């Protein structure tokens, strides 16, 4: 999965069409999804997945997610599938715990913040920013949530109470700050955290 995925419109679509590596996007009518990553090898895997699934309107863009080629406030939805400590995969890779130091987590948090800063710049008013990581550390989940609340108060939490149940046997996701957490023990999967925020209309008026 690419580190940033965008659903674009208006001016951002034009930039995506010019910049994307997949020339087929120029003939697509409708919303465009731009999968962006700084690592070309990851983009090759994304391209293979797009082809296998027969998806249309998907462009691949090699770019640093901290410096996106989109004008301010022009992207409808931004998914930041951020690099993280990966400690949510310990069920499958228990040795990973010995490879991750606290300094690694600190470094990851810095990158996550930069990616989210850029996502907040690019997303349009009423647009959505989704932050996703396959880890369970406080620094990369609740810490990021708390930082966003101060750094970008115009990004308001989407109401997910109807999607997340307190009954773990029925719904393994549980509320965690303004987001949702999935524990490996709850569903036999990797652990992960998702935070969904919407940019307020007032932010555009102030700007």
């Amino acid at each position: 999965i690419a580190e940033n995925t965008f659903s674009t419109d208006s001016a951002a679509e034009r930039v995506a069409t010019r910049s994307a590596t997949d020339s087929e996007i120029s003939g697509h009518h409708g919303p465009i999804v731009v999968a962006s990553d700084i690592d070309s090898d990851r983009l090759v895997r994304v391209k293979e997945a797009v082809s296998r699934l027969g998806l249309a309107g998907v462009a691949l863009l090699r770019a640093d997610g901290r410096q996106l080629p989109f004008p301010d406030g022009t992207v409808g939805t931004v998914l930041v599938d951020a690099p993280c400590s990966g400690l949510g995969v310990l069920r499958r890779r228990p040795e990973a715990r010995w490879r991750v130091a606290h300094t690694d987590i600190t470094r990851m948090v810095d990158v996550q913040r930069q990616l989210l800063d850029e996502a907040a710049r690019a997303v349009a008013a009423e647009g959505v920013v989704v932050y996703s990581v396959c880890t369970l550390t406080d620094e990369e989940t609740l810490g990021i949530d708390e930082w966003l609340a101060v750094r970008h108060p115009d990004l308001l939490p989407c109401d997910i109470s109807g999607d997340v149940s307190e009954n773990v046997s029925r719904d393994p996701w549980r509320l965690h700050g303004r987001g949702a957490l999935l524990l490996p023990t709850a569903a036999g999967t990797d652990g992960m955290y998702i935070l969904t925020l919407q940019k307020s209309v007032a932010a555009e008026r102030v700007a």
Side-chain angles (χ1 to χ4, degrees), residues 85-94 96 134-135 184 189-191:
S85 60
L87 293 177
V89 304
L90 292 181
R91 181 184 65 88
R92 293 185 294 110
R93 301 174 186 169
C134 57
T135 191
T189 65
D190 291 342

Side-chain angles (χ1 to χ4, degrees), residues 13-30:
E13 283 192 5
R14 294 193 292 273
V15 174
T17 302
R18 289 197 303 269
S19 305
T21 60
D22 188 351
S23 60
E24 294 178 1
I25 200 69
S26 59
H28 175 74
H29 300 287

Side-chain angles (χ1 to χ4, degrees), residues 4-54:
N4 292 82
T5 307
F6 315 91
S7 172
T8 69
D9 52 21
S10 64
E13 283 192 5
R14 294 193 292 273
V15 174
T17 302
R18 289 197 303 269
S19 305
T21 60
D22 188 351
S23 60
E24 294 178 1
I25 200 69
S26 59
H28 175 74
H29 300 287
I32 295 174
V33 174
V34 181
S36 167
D37 202 294
I38 199 170
D39 188 326
S40 57
D41 289 338
R42 290 197 188 99
L43 288 176
V44 169
R45 294 198 293 273
V46 173
K47 185 174 184 178
E48 291 171 350
V50 169
S51 177
R52 184 177 68 254
L53 296 171

Side-chain angles (χ1 to χ4, degrees), residues 70-148:
F70 300 119
D72 294 357
T74 57
V75 180
T77 302
V78 183
L79 166 61
V80 181
D81 185 25
C84 66
S85 60
L87 293 177
V89 304
L90 292 181
R91 181 184 65 88
R92 293 185 294 110
R93 301 174 186 169
E95 76 283 358
R97 76 183 69 208
W98 310 117
R99 296 203 299 260
V100 178
H102 193 268
T103 52
D104 296 322
I105 296 175
T106 301
R107 179 172 53 85
M108 288 297 177
V109 167
D110 183 55
V111 174
Q112 291 158 4
R113 289 181 174 186
Q114 292 178 57
L115 290 170
L116 287 165
D117 269 338
E118 186 67 350
R121 178 198 67 77
V123 73
E126 294 191 291
V128 173
V129 173
V130 180
Y131 169 73
S132 171
V133 285
C134 57
T135 191
L136 307 173
T137 68
D138 284 346
E139 294 92 334
E140 298 169 276
T141 58
L142 293 176
I144 287 292
D145 183 14
E146 293 167 359
W147 173 81
L148 277 168

Side-chain angles (χ1 to χ4, degrees), residues 150-168:
V150 175
R151 175 82 167 183
H152 297 287
D154 56 328
L155 293 180
L156 305 177
C158 295
D159 183 10
I160 60 172
S161 58
D163 300 320
V164 179
S165 171
E166 294 299 325
N167 183 352
V168 176

